[in-house]
Amino acid sequence: MLDATREALAELGWGGLTMGDVAQRAGVAKTTLYRRWPSKSELVVDAIASLFDQLECTDRGSLQADIEAVVARFAELLTLPETQAALLALFAEGSRDPQLRLRIRERIVQPQKVLVELGRANAQARGEMDPDRDPAAAAEEIGIIFDTIAGTVEHRLLVSGEPVTADWIRRFTTLLLGPFPGLLR
């Protein structure tokens, strides 16, 4: 059902997407969709969240390598037409619907911030970063880092239409880590 949602969204756009079309593509009854997702926006959020659930932060031996791998995979997901269509539609709809914006934050943004937390914890365990002394400041830094990574990659691909190459990822990560507090070089 989530695959069918992304496929329909890429083909039809937000305005053309209906629960009936998704049900037909998925080979299920509309009531099956409505039992699980009471609205089109909830269905689309879950369809996109399931894609981003594929992102993971594996310990690659350095914070730079960890971030580069996540950015590369994130960029790869953002090049999919269904991801682009869904995200742009969700951003537009979320700007008018506070409940949808909250759902996006809970289902898409917050789970991805865990990747930043994990990357930070791996770097601290490897001795690359000082331990956190102020949990509130660390949480704020995690949010800023996530926003910087997500915003930059989304802007590059979805707004500017520029490619995300391995060289660009390396340069971006180097710039990102340059002023990072507590990073032991």
Side-chain angles (χ1 to χ4, degrees):
M1 291 183 280
L2 298 177
D3 290 339
T5 301
R6 291 188 298 269
E7 176 186 300
L9 192 58
E11 183 181 317
L12 305 171
W14 183 270
L17 179 72
T18 66
M19 297 292 264
D21 187 58
V22 171
Q24 181 181 2
R25 287 172 191 253
V28 299
K30 277 198 315 189
T31 54
T32 302
L33 284 179
Y34 280 111
R35 256 182 269 152
R36 188 152 181 200
W37 297 282
S39 70
K40 174 170 80 171
S41 61
E42 297 241 348
L43 174 60
V44 172
V45 168
D46 281 356
I48 292 308
S50 70
L51 279 179
F52 291 130
D53 287 345
Q54 299 172 27
L55 289 172
E56 56 185 27
C57 182
T58 56
D59 187 341
R60 297 180 179 272
S62 74
L63 184 57
Q64 177 129 7
D66 293 352
I67 293 172
E68 286 176 5
V70 171
V71 169
R73 181 65 180 129
F74 181 53
E76 184 181 313
L77 289 173
L78 288 179
T79 62
L80 299 173
E82 60 266 30
T83 307
Q84 291 179 5
L87 277 180
L88 292 172
L90 285 176
F91 293 161
E93 293 299 315
S95 70
R96 294 186 288 273
D97 182 346
Q99 285 302 107
L100 177 57
R101 191 174 319 130
L102 177 63
R103 179 100 169 111
I104 292 167
R105 196 168 40 247
E106 290 172 347
R107 198 56 191 97
I108 298 172
V109 175
Q110 282 306 126
Q112 301 318 309
K113 281 186 181 181
V114 171
L115 297 174
V116 177
E117 292 171 7
L118 181 57
R120 186 181 184 106
N122 288 344
Q124 289 169 337
R126 288 188 301 258
E128 288 180 282
M129 288 182 66
D130 294 331
D132 295 329
R133 290 193 172 84
D134 181 352
E140 187 173 352
E141 286 174 2
I142 286 167
I144 292 168
I145 292 165
F146 173 82
D147 290 346
T148 301
I149 292 170
T152 301
V153 176
E154 288 169 0
H155 184 275
R156 183 151 179 99
L157 287 167
L158 302 179
V159 177
S160 298
E162 296 288 327
V164 173
T165 64
D167 183 56
W168 182 90
I169 292 170
R170 192 170 22 268
R171 292 178 67 149
F172 168 64
T173 306
T174 299
L175 285 170
L176 178 69
L177 293 176
F180 195 80
L183 186 62
L184 303 174
R185 294 201 184 249

